[in-house]
Amino acid sequence: MLKIAYSPLYQLDLPEGHRFPMEKYELLPEQLLYEGTVTSANFFEPKDLDNRWVLNTHDFDYFEKLLNLRLSKSEIRKTGFPLSKALIDRETHIMQGSIEASLFALEYGIAMNIAGGTHHAFTDRGEGFCLLNDIAISANYLLENFLVKKVLVIDLDVHQGNGTAQIFENKDEVFTFSMHGASNYPMHKEKSDLDIGLPDKIQDDQYLDLLQLHLVPLIDQVQPDFIIYQCGVDVLDSDKLGRLGLTIQGCKERDRIVLETAKINQIPIMCCMGGGYSPKISNIIEAHANTYRLAQDIFF
């Protein structure tokens, strides 16, 4: 069964006019249920997070500042969200959602988190709508509990997974692969194990050819026994923060390549949603929903 992490806490009230499309966390489950891609049985609500798993990844002082709402104005501004207890509760539930989804992926081959993909969170700070890094926390959880030996992070959000790259820069058990807009945020890129910088306005065919060219050999090179897939849909040509040129169908084919690669090689995969900032919320929901449709078709 396709298990999907979701909590009402994922949707946080933001100031009017805020550019982050928080409503997608309510609309996406509704769409998947409405069309019959999933039923209510597919969803699970994350339990409370044990702080020790955060501290396997993030600095104690930084996490303590988050819990006590003591970030400076500059630190708050870099995250892009107003600081509140509700925000921290949201973040910790997203982290736990990805941990539990990773465990379900080991059981069923694949599992998803409606939120997550918070790849701009570093060990000691947050940036770009990311306060804690669920990709890193989940990978470290699996490794610390001897559930896997080698994790491949496939990050196909339009923005480089800079926080994830920094967290794992000296950890051989995690291989970070980021394919992103070369001239997009963040302006200062960290060094992933493999970075593919893409030109503005790249189209479907060229993008998909590049993904195939690099992903297939990576499986043989890295030999992962687990994949974490950050499948942001800000690669769409309609995205106001993206600058790439993919169609919704091209984005779907991107997901197909990744999910079929995991399935063919029998590598469990956990998918976290990442970004998406198209002005029409329907484009964001359709692109995200395609990932779930493919998961059902390919794995079940």
Side-chain angles (χ1 to χ4, degrees):
M1 173 182 282
L2 180 62
K3 300 299 288 184
I4 304 167
Y6 170 73
S7 168
L9 294 176
Y10 285 6
Q11 187 173 5
L12 180 73
D13 289 337
L14 292 174
E16 188 174 349
H18 197 284
R19 64 180 179 172
F20 190 87
M22 194 65 73
E23 65 269 30
K24 76 176 184 178
Y25 299 116
E26 180 179 11
L27 294 174
L28 179 56
E30 288 179 353
Q31 175 62 31
L32 295 172
L33 289 166
Y34 172 77
E35 69 189 27
T37 296
V38 301
T39 70
S40 58
N42 293 98
F43 292 98
F44 68 90
E45 186 164 355
K47 303 179 180 70
D48 290 333
L49 176 67
D50 187 330
N51 289 347
R52 65 177 168 152
W53 303 123
V54 177
L55 296 174
N56 271 357
T57 297
H58 293 282
D59 289 352
F60 176 84
D61 289 346
Y62 170 61
F63 188 46
E64 186 178 45
K65 283 200 293 184
L66 283 182
L67 293 178
N68 292 291
L69 307 181
R70 289 194 293 105
L71 294 184
S72 69
K73 289 182 179 179
S74 173
E75 289 171 321
I76 293 171
R77 186 169 60 252
K78 287 180 180 178
T79 71
F81 288 139
L83 184 61
S84 65
K85 183 180 184 303
L87 175 64
I88 305 307
D89 288 345
R90 173 184 186 268
E91 293 293 311
T92 57
H93 274 76
I94 290 171
M95 300 306 112
Q96 181 67 16
S98 287
I99 289 174
E100 292 183 43
S102 297
L103 296 174
F104 279 122
L106 289 172
E107 183 176 357
Y108 295 112
I110 189 170
M112 329 278 275
N113 192 346
I114 285 285
T118 50
H119 59 170
H120 299 312
F122 290 70
T123 51
D124 61 351
R125 66 187 186 277
E127 293 181 1
F129 306 134
C130 305
L131 282 81
L132 298 170
N133 193 312
D134 68 304
I135 296 169
I137 288 171
S138 299
N140 281 331
Y141 178 93
L142 294 172
L143 292 164
E144 291 289 329
N145 286 283
F146 304 103
L147 297 169
V148 303
K149 295 179 180 178
K150 186 80 173 189
V151 178
L152 171 61
V153 175
I154 302 173
D155 190 333
L156 300 186
D157 191 277
V158 78
H159 305 111
Q160 192 215 28
N162 56 343
T164 312
Q166 178 266 322
I167 290 168
F168 291 127
E169 60 185 343
N170 297 312
K171 189 156 189 169
D172 292 339
E173 295 88 352
V174 180
F175 189 100
T176 52
F177 166 39
S178 181
M179 191 161 129
H180 51 263
S183 59
N184 209 323
Y185 174 91
M187 298 333 307
H188 171 72
K189 308 287 195 293
E190 300 293 329
K191 183 172 174 50
S192 308
D193 292 301
L194 177 61
D195 284 302
I196 306 298
L198 303 170
D200 288 358
K201 301 300 181 184
I202 189 171
Q203 302 294 296
D204 290 351
D205 289 347
Q206 187 183 2
Y207 181 100
L208 297 171
D209 286 347
L210 277 171
L211 178 58
Q212 287 271 30
L213 177 68
H214 292 285
L215 180 58
V216 174
L218 264 188
I219 301 301
D220 290 332
Q221 174 192 336
V222 178
Q223 295 191 332
D225 49 10
F226 198 87
I227 292 171
I228 297 177
Y229 177 31
Q230 208 278 24
C231 43
V233 300
D234 41 14
V235 294
L236 294 178
D237 57 1
S238 60
D239 197 276
K240 60 187 177 183
L241 302 181
R243 298 166 64 170
L244 300 188
L246 269 66
T247 64
I248 289 178
Q249 184 60 33
C251 189
K252 182 178 181 179
E253 290 308 308
R254 175 202 71 170
D255 290 346
R256 185 188 305 278
I257 289 169
V258 175
L259 298 189
E260 286 185 344
T261 297
K263 176 66 172 176
I264 290 167
N265 290 280
Q266 297 183 306
I267 305 169
I269 182 169
M270 190 276 286
C271 305
C272 41
M273 290 302 100
Y277 309 96
S278 295
K280 288 179 64 176
I281 191 71
S282 58
N283 288 343
I284 299 173
I285 300 304
E286 179 66 10
H288 277 315
N290 277 334
T291 317
Y292 293 81
R293 296 164 186 152
L294 285 167
Q296 288 284 26
D297 291 344
I298 294 169
F299 284 83
F300 304 100

